[in-house]
Amino acid sequence: MSRSGLRKLQEGWRIQMRVIHALMIRELTTRFGRENIGFLWIMVEPLLFAGLVSFLWRFMKGPEEHGVGIIAFVVSGYIPLTLFRHCVGRSVSVFVANGSMLYHRQVKVTDFVFVRFLIEMLGAMMAYLFIAIVLIGFNEFPLPANLGMFVSGWLLYSLFTLSLCFVIAPLSEMSEVLEKFIPVTTYIMIPFSGTFSAASWLTPTVREYLLMSPFVNAMEMMRSGIWGDKVTPYYNVWNPLVCSMVALVIGLALCRHVRRTLVIE
């Protein structure tokens, strides 16, 4: 690549980063305002849900299941699930809500999807880190046995979630019916997310079908990174990677189609 081409690439990258930064500030200010704890509210809901559900399971099932602490197990599954549900919910009608920003030449429709996903991912990461530190202090959460494996699983889970957002956002503009089905769909997918069960706990037949889900493969990687040899993970890295790439290609094509037909008011 020539120097002039490299300079253009660097300048384009700097412009894109400024656009993302500005859209994030706008989104956070619109959603949370500037009072109280402001944008820190993005981590409160995952914390509340994960905390309440984990303590409910602790009361119902006891301190451990299959040799794994029940509170830590539920937290490790519920926070990623909350990330998925929030990202998908925020992707619906995102273009209409931000359409006026398209008067700026540097702003693209894909920026809206990415910004909302990025905010939710940062909130989920903050919630995960906070609750893990608190639970480690009470000896209810183990120190990660393999941090690299955990981070890899988290990134794959997040990547597939982002790819689905790129598909759902334009489809929600093409059909209003989709908006009605999204809340139901996010609940139906819970059994296929690996949130409340590990693959090693299932029969071989059920496990084989469940491992077709990219979420389950990524979740198994995260739990392997947390508990190490205490669990028997089943996963295929290529499953979430390939599914994410396919969904991204479809989603970007749909975004391009919607941008051509989108009416800016």
Side-chain angles (χ1 to χ4, degrees):
M1 182 181 292
S2 64
R3 290 185 178 180
S4 61
L6 183 59
R7 284 196 296 269
K8 289 181 180 179
L9 182 63
Q10 291 174 340
E11 180 61 24
W13 176 258
R14 284 194 293 269
I15 291 173
Q16 191 62 34
M17 290 300 100
R18 288 199 295 267
V19 168
I20 296 297
H21 182 256
L23 289 176
M24 285 185 67
I25 293 175
R26 177 180 180 270
E27 180 73 18
L28 288 170
T29 303
T30 302
R31 284 174 57 181
F32 304 109
R34 300 179 182 275
E35 299 179 356
N36 299 321
I37 60 175
F39 73 92
L40 291 178
W41 280 111
I42 61 176
M43 64 178 283
V44 172
E45 189 172 353
L47 279 175
L48 288 176
F49 274 103
L52 292 174
V53 173
S54 63
F55 282 107
L56 179 62
W57 272 56
R58 171 66 173 78
F59 177 76
M60 294 170 55
K61 295 179 175 290
E64 288 188 355
E65 188 166 353
H66 297 273
V68 175
I70 197 68
I71 291 180
F73 185 83
V74 173
V75 166
S76 69
Y78 205 85
I79 288 184
L81 176 66
T82 304
L83 169 67
F84 165 75
R85 291 172 57 186
H86 286 186
C87 287
V88 168
R90 291 286 176 183
S91 298
V92 176
S93 302
V94 64
F95 299 152
V96 171
N98 296 276
S100 60
M101 298 296 295
L102 292 173
Y103 280 112
H104 301 282
R105 183 169 55 88
Q106 295 88 351
V107 179
K108 311 299 181 185
V109 290
T110 52
D111 293 335
F112 304 141
V113 180
F114 182 71
V115 163
R116 289 196 172 185
F117 160 79
L118 188 59
I119 289 174
E120 296 298 338
M121 187 182 75
L122 291 174
M125 289 171 60
M126 292 164 59
Y128 210 138
L129 181 62
F130 180 84
I131 197 169
I133 290 174
V134 171
L135 291 176
I136 287 173
F138 287 96
N139 200 31
E140 291 286 350
F141 200 99
L143 290 171
N146 187 335
L147 189 58
M149 177 67 76
F150 171 77
V151 172
S152 298
W154 175 265
L155 291 177
L156 285 175
Y157 195 103
S158 300
L159 176 62
F160 186 62
T161 298
L162 175 62
S163 67
L164 289 181
C165 292
F166 276 121
V167 174
I168 291 169
L171 287 179
S172 68
E173 302 293 342
M174 298 165 66
S175 173
E176 296 181 357
V177 177
L178 181 67
E179 183 178 358
K180 310 300 181 184
F181 283 97
I182 287 296
V184 178
T185 304
T186 55
Y187 278 104
I188 292 176
M189 67 81 58
I190 291 178
F192 308 99
S193 66
T195 301
F196 298 121
S197 64
S200 60
W201 302 354
L202 308 172
T203 63
T205 302
V206 175
R207 182 191 308 136
E208 181 181 355
Y209 285 107
L210 202 61
L211 286 174
M212 294 180 183
S213 167
F215 289 122
V216 173
N217 287 272
M219 190 73 75
E220 287 288 298
M221 292 177 66
M222 283 188 275
R223 285 174 171 154
S224 174
I226 294 172
W227 280 281
D229 296 336
K230 290 184 178 180
V231 297
T232 303
Y234 292 86
Y235 61 88
N236 181 355
V237 175
W238 291 106
N239 178 290
L241 272 177
V242 172
C243 291
S244 296
M245 293 303 105
V246 172
L248 275 174
V249 171
I250 295 173
L252 292 175
L254 289 172
C255 286
R256 185 176 182 181
H257 170 73
V258 168
R259 178 65 184 91
R260 291 174 178 174
T261 59
L262 190 64
V263 178
I264 303 174
E265 297 180 357

